Structures are given as C-alpha cells and as structure tokens.
Amino acid sequence: MFKLKKLANGLLIASLLTSSIPSFAKNDLNLPDIGTTAASTLTIDQELIYGDAYMRMLRASQPVINDPVLAEYVQDLGHRLVANANDVKTPFHFFLINNREINAFAFFGGYVALHSGLFLHAQTESELASVVAHEIAHITQRHLARSMEEQARRSPATVAALVGSLLLAIAAPEAGIAAIHATTAGAMQSSINYTRSNEKEADRFGIDTLAKSGFDVSAMPRFFSRLADQYRYASTPPAMLLTHPLPTSRITDSRERAQQYPMKRVNARFAGIDSSAALDWFSRKSKTHNTDIKQALEYGKALVYIDSKQYDKAQPLINKLLKNDPLNTFYIDAATDLDLYTKKNAQALKRLKDGLVQLPNNPVLTINYAHALTESNKPSEAVRVLQRYTHDHPDDPTGWQLLAKAYHDDGSSDGELAARAEVYALKGMWNKALNNYTQASQLVEYGSLDQARYDARIDQLRLSRERFSAL
C-alpha cells in the first residue's frame, strides 16, 4: 500500500549474506586527528533545532517518500550503520526523496536524505550502504558546522547569514551539502578544497563503519569508480558528482583503504523499472540470475502486475514468494494490496493480524492493518490502532493522514481536524495547523478533556512557530 509505484516496481530487497568480521578501533584508521570542532559556531542543541526546521521545509517542498516498507528498510539500513559509527552525538533519521538524480545529502540533526535514483544505480546493498555510511560520517564529523566556521573565518559573512543561506540550500537539496560554499564567491577555491577534505574524511570513516557493520567495504570505491567512468565525459554529471567530488586520488585512497578489510560477498536485489518494458526486463533478468535473485525479480514482476491491474497474474507469484518467506514485510505488503484490490478484505485483515503476532508492533504491518480496517469499514478499530501508531511514530505523515480518514469515516470532525493539523505541522505550516486545532477545540464540549488536550497542543504549536520564525 501507499507505494511510490515507479520506485516500488523496481525495488528488490533480499537477505544479506554476512559472517563474522573483526572489529577495528578508531586508531586503526590511520586518520589525522582533526577532531569534530565547530562547537564555537553551533552547539549540538542548535543543530537539532535547525535540523528539525529543515526537515519540515523538505516535507513541504520536496517529494519525500512516505511508503512504509521503504521507510522501514532505509531506517533499518541506516541505524545498522549508525550502531557501528564513531562520534555519534545526535539521533539519526533516514528518508527517501523521489528524484532520479543520483544524490544523497546530510544536514543538521542527524538527517540523511537519499534520492530514489540511488536505487537505480547501486548494484548491491553494500554499494547503497556505502553512500549512507559516507553521509553518516558527514554528520558525526560535523562537516556542515565546520564548513560554516571555516567560511565565517575567511569572509565577512556572519554565522547567522550562513545559516540563512543554508536554509535556502536545504529547500533546494539537489545542491547537497556543498551548497553552503556558494554563499561567498570570493572564497570559492578554498571552500572547494575544504569540501574535498571533508569528502575524503567521510570516505575513511564511512569505510570503517561499513566494515564494522558487516558490509563489503570494496563497494565504496567500486561505486565511485563506476560513477566516475560513466559520467567522465558527461556535459551534465549527476548532482552527487557535483557535490561529492571524485578526483582520482579520492578513488585510489578509498580503494587502498578498503583492501585492509576482509572482503564480504553481499547478495542483494535492486532493480529500477518504471517503463512499459518492465515485465520484459524482469523476464530477461530472470533467465540469467541464480535462484535467490530470481525470487526477487519475481517480486518485482508481481508489483508490475498489481500496478497494471493484472491481479490474476500477480496472485500466483505472491503466493509462491510468501510460501518461501512468510514474514517478509515486502511480500506481505504486496499481498495486502492484492487482497484489498480484489475485495478480499477479510483475508487481508487475517494476514496482517497473523503477521503482527509474529512481528509485534512492526510499523509496516501496523500501518497496513490500519489501512485494511478503514477499507473494511471498521473506522473505530482503525482509530484505535492509529492512535497508538502516531504516538509511537509522530513524524510519519502517512499515519496522521490515515488517522484523519479513519476519524472522518467514524464521524469525528474534531479528530479529523486534529490529525490533519499534525500533517500541516510536519511541513512547517504552523498557521494551518493552529487553525485546524482551534476549530477542533471549538467543536468539543467546553471544559472537556479533549478541549484541554487540543488547547495544550495549540500552545505547543505556537511555541514551535515562534522558534521556527526566529531561525
């Protein structure tokens, strides 16, 4: 459900083949001890405030992907890497943007954005993980704050002016983390050099994180090399190569460093299909890959059939996949879509309830279960499920949108207004959020617990608006 169809048709996730790998201490990196300065420019608390504000701007201005299956996958991948990263000082949040450009960027507060185009070019999960690990290192080493400090030292620009420039850069994130350097043209060359130094450091820390997380560390130089070769003579290279320079020295350095670690073979399945030739592509690939990859390709083919409403062809593929891997949330999600599209609502509900017994509180199964309840004309039950879900996942717009629909179907106008207010708040649309909550407060009984709750939330949102406006 809630698939970003063009991406989901080609997203093929399989199991990661891992084995034991020795740990590496930070001193083994042979890195210069340049530390994580910039405390004089921005504190960690300030970075968290800016990160929250920028994320709300992105939700309002960029096509952020809220698909629950993809969100769970990206979060799981990211946090597996964070658990093995050095110098982690903030929480981390990973999300996808629907953009075919090859790019990724990181910003204050531990936010890491991946363009969907990465899934079209990363041939293994380790290659995708190498990009994520690289961006994690940008955050742990506080490169953005250090860049601002360096820029302020070299030019008359104040930190406040640089933060303002960054605000605009984040609103147009295709510029990536290097966008801050465009604020002062006179210092461009020194800024480029500083950026390349950051990129090299991010590579080195990223490779260490990859190794400790059990990924194939040679994936980073391999991915870099393939991108560099592919776009060497392109008049318009992808944004990632503009904001993440790939000089030969950087590729060589990462390759030499990767050779220090045990090689890991990773079997992952990714393919990007978004054209009428999708089925032909999957069929041709199935003839040249082993059994595990064929299962993943069959998953992609099933999604194409579902999207094109060829449900009778999708059903046997989904049934076979679930038989082999009954707790795969990608498969359960697709099967639920198929159940609902073919009006087998009771089957969808049973499938999801059984899954939640095995995987309690799994966000993918929970959000699908709530959706299936609303589609089965059980809004009161959906409200109960979604109240718990939005409490546990307050930053997920999909949960609030579903809750608004469930409240609407259940005849609760104030509940619907409040849920839609939270969607507005996640996008930084404070006035609309406040207006919704004010209306909700006026609809309920004077002096009631609901009114007190709505009024308290109004006070919180006003404070958030003031803080947001002061940035």
Side-chain angles (χ1 to χ4, degrees):
M1 56 171 286
F2 307 109
K3 288 283 185 291
L4 175 74
K5 297 303 184 182
K6 291 185 178 180
L7 179 60
N9 282 346
L11 182 66
L12 307 175
I13 306 298
S15 60
L16 179 66
L17 303 181
T18 60
S19 59
S20 60
I21 187 166
S23 62
F24 293 85
K26 185 175 180 179
N27 292 338
D28 294 334
L29 291 174
N30 193 28
L31 293 175
D33 186 15
I34 61 180
T36 55
T37 59
S40 61
T41 302
L42 289 171
T43 67
I44 294 295
D45 286 343
Q46 286 174 315
E47 289 191 23
L48 292 173
I49 292 172
Y50 287 132
D52 176 72
Y54 299 156
M55 187 65 228
R56 293 178 194 273
M57 290 181 63
L58 282 175
R59 292 193 190 102
S61 62
Q62 298 294 322
V64 175
I65 297 172
N66 294 313
D67 178 279
V69 183
L70 301 183
E72 181 186 50
Y73 173 73
V74 172
Q75 290 285 349
D76 286 349
L77 176 65
H79 287 298
R80 176 180 174 184
L81 293 164
V82 169
N84 294 285
N86 293 305
D87 302 319
V88 176
K89 300 179 179 65
T90 66
F92 271 79
H93 316 271
F94 303 89
F95 62 99
L96 284 166
I97 290 178
N98 182 20
N99 191 322
R100 290 180 63 85
E101 282 285 321
I102 308 169
N103 200 15
F105 60 95
F107 57 95
F108 294 137
Y111 289 92
V112 176
L114 304 176
H115 280 196
S116 57
L118 285 169
F119 284 83
L120 307 179
H121 291 81
Q123 295 182 357
T124 68
E125 189 171 46
S126 285
E127 290 188 359
L128 181 66
S130 73
V131 176
V132 180
H134 175 96
E135 298 302 329
I136 289 171
H138 276 312
I139 293 172
T140 61
Q141 302 310 300
R142 302 189 70 190
H143 285 160
L144 197 50
R146 285 162 54 189
S147 294
M148 291 173 63
E149 186 175 68
E150 177 75 2
Q151 189 70 17
R153 185 179 69 82
R154 292 177 178 272
S155 72
T158 65
V159 171
L162 293 173
V163 169
S165 297
L166 179 63
L167 193 69
L168 296 176
I170 295 298
E174 58 273 6
I177 197 171
I180 189 65
H181 301 296
T183 57
T184 305
M188 183 61 70
Q189 184 57 51
S190 62
S191 295
I192 291 174
N193 292 337
Y194 193 76
T195 299
R196 288 180 176 174
S197 173
N198 287 350
E199 292 302 318
K200 194 171 184 179
E201 185 180 43
D203 289 346
R204 293 178 177 181
F205 277 96
I207 282 178
D208 181 63
T209 299
L210 280 177
K212 291 177 179 178
S213 303
F215 288 101
D216 176 4
V217 291
S218 67
M220 182 179 286
R222 184 168 62 245
F223 190 43
F224 287 166
S225 296
R226 192 168 68 252
L227 286 182
D229 290 343
Q230 183 175 354
Y231 293 99
R232 189 177 306 279
Y233 303 108
S235 58
T236 307
M240 188 169 184
L241 296 189
L242 295 175
T243 59
H244 299 70
L246 285 178
T248 303
S249 60
R250 180 182 167 199
I251 296 173
T252 301
D253 181 81
S254 62
R255 181 180 292 115
E256 290 174 350
R257 193 163 295 276
Q259 290 172 349
Q260 300 175 23
Y261 301 93
M263 300 296 291
K264 304 296 297 173
R265 178 172 181 80
V266 176
N267 183 10
R269 309 151 212 180
F270 297 98
I273 304 296
D274 60 358
S275 71
S276 59
L279 291 173
D280 177 64
W281 187 91
F282 280 116
S283 296
R284 285 187 289 106
K285 289 291 183 180
S286 296
K287 296 177 181 178
T288 60
H289 289 80
N290 62 37
T291 302
D292 288 339
I293 299 297
K294 285 182 178 178
Q295 290 179 1
L297 291 169
E298 292 294 282
Y299 166 68
K301 188 186 294 185
L303 290 179
V304 175
Y305 281 136
I306 292 173
D307 295 345
S308 59
K309 300 182 179 181
Q310 300 182 63
Y311 305 133
D312 57 329
K313 295 181 179 179
Q315 192 70 67
L317 294 175
I318 292 296
N319 290 345
K320 183 177 179 181
L321 290 169
L322 279 172
K323 182 179 180 180
N324 293 329
D325 192 359
L327 292 181
N328 185 309
T329 56
F330 282 84
Y331 299 164
I332 296 174
D333 178 87
T336 302
D337 284 346
L338 190 55
D339 289 339
L340 296 177
Y341 288 144
T342 55
K343 308 302 180 183
K344 300 175 183 176
N345 292 20
Q347 181 170 297
L349 290 171
K350 183 179 185 306
R351 184 192 306 281
L352 292 164
K353 287 181 69 174
D354 291 346
L356 284 167
V357 170
Q358 299 294 319
L359 301 172
N361 301 318
N362 178 273
V364 173
L365 300 184
T366 301
I367 203 74
N368 271 278
Y369 183 52
H371 176 61
L373 286 170
T374 59
E375 292 297 309
S376 303
N377 196 29
K378 297 182 178 182
S380 297
E381 294 181 48
V383 166
R384 288 194 292 271
V385 172
L386 289 164
Q387 284 176 333
R388 171 70 179 273
Y389 179 85
T390 52
H391 177 271
D392 294 340
H393 305 276
D395 293 336
D396 182 3
T398 301
W400 292 111
Q401 289 164 354
L402 268 180
L403 182 57
K405 184 180 186 306
Y407 272 130
H408 172 82
D409 294 347
D410 203 33
S412 174
S413 298
D414 61 293
E416 179 184 0
L417 284 164
R420 295 199 186 282
E422 294 298 336
V423 177
Y424 287 133
L426 287 174
K427 297 180 179 180
M429 298 177 178
W430 306 111
N431 291 337
K432 289 186 176 181
L434 286 165
N435 183 58
N436 267 37
Y437 264 115
T438 299
Q439 291 183 57
S441 179
Q442 294 170 348
L443 287 175
V444 297
E445 182 181 351
Y446 180 78
S448 66
L449 181 61
D450 283 337
Q451 187 178 63
R453 181 165 54 87
Y454 292 153
D455 289 347
R457 186 61 177 140
I458 288 171
D459 291 340
Q460 292 175 343
L461 290 173
R462 283 175 176 162
L463 289 174
S464 296
R465 181 179 63 180
E466 292 176 7
R467 186 180 67 178
F468 192 82
S469 299
L471 296 179

